[in-house]
Amino acid sequence: MKISAINVSQVYSMRQNHNFKGIFTSQGSTHDYYEYKGCPSGSSYDGVYKGYEDSQSYIYYPFSDESKEKIQKVLQENNYTNYFSPDSTGGYGGYETRSTELGKTLPFTEQEWNRMSQKERDRIRAILD
């Protein structure tokens, strides 16, 4: 079994969300908070504006027994941007973005993955990491 190494910081089993079967790897994330004082407006009665910008990037490795429809659903659910309007949040703005790319299909099924020892799973996660 050969899986190319990828420069990522963390690996997550998709047990966190029951819609997923494969393995997610995190390529990184950024979290920026900002605050500034300006003129009072309809967005902020006291002129203090705050915001949060959050970006996360992942690669999804499906098991060999996952259907194309299931894989597409995972990608659709994990590629989004939510914007926060200062006008509707009292001066708090920003966005939250998640992007997920499709990685190579794993050479084993979910059932085979579940039968592997924890040591073997950790070894595979290290290869993906």
Side-chain angles (χ1 to χ4, degrees), residues 6 59-62 101-105:
I6 295 175
I59 296 178
Y60 179 66
Y61 296 93
E101 297 177 26
L102 179 61
K104 293 182 179 180
T105 300

Side-chain angles (χ1 to χ4, degrees), residues 85-103:
S85 169
D87 292 330
S88 62
T89 60
Y92 189 89
Y95 66 85
E96 168 187 44
T97 299
R98 175 179 272 185
S99 64
T100 304
E101 297 177 26
L102 179 61

Side-chain angles (χ1 to χ4, degrees), residues 51-80:
Y52 190 77
E53 296 175 353
D54 183 26
S55 295
Q56 301 171 358
S57 181
Y58 296 92
I59 296 178
Y60 179 66
Y61 296 93
F63 290 122
S64 62
D65 60 345
E66 281 189 72
S67 70
K68 289 182 182 182
E69 294 80 18
K70 187 69 161 184
I71 293 168
Q72 284 304 314
K73 183 177 179 185
V74 169
L75 294 176
Q76 287 174 352
E77 290 175 353
N78 286 281
N79 283 298
Y80 61 83

Side-chain angles (χ1 to χ4, degrees), residues 23-42:
I23 297 172
F24 261 111
T25 60
S26 174
Q27 291 185 298
S29 62
T30 61
H31 309 283
D32 295 319
Y33 173 80
Y34 59 87
E35 183 175 330
Y36 64 92
K37 181 138 176 88
C39 294
S41 71

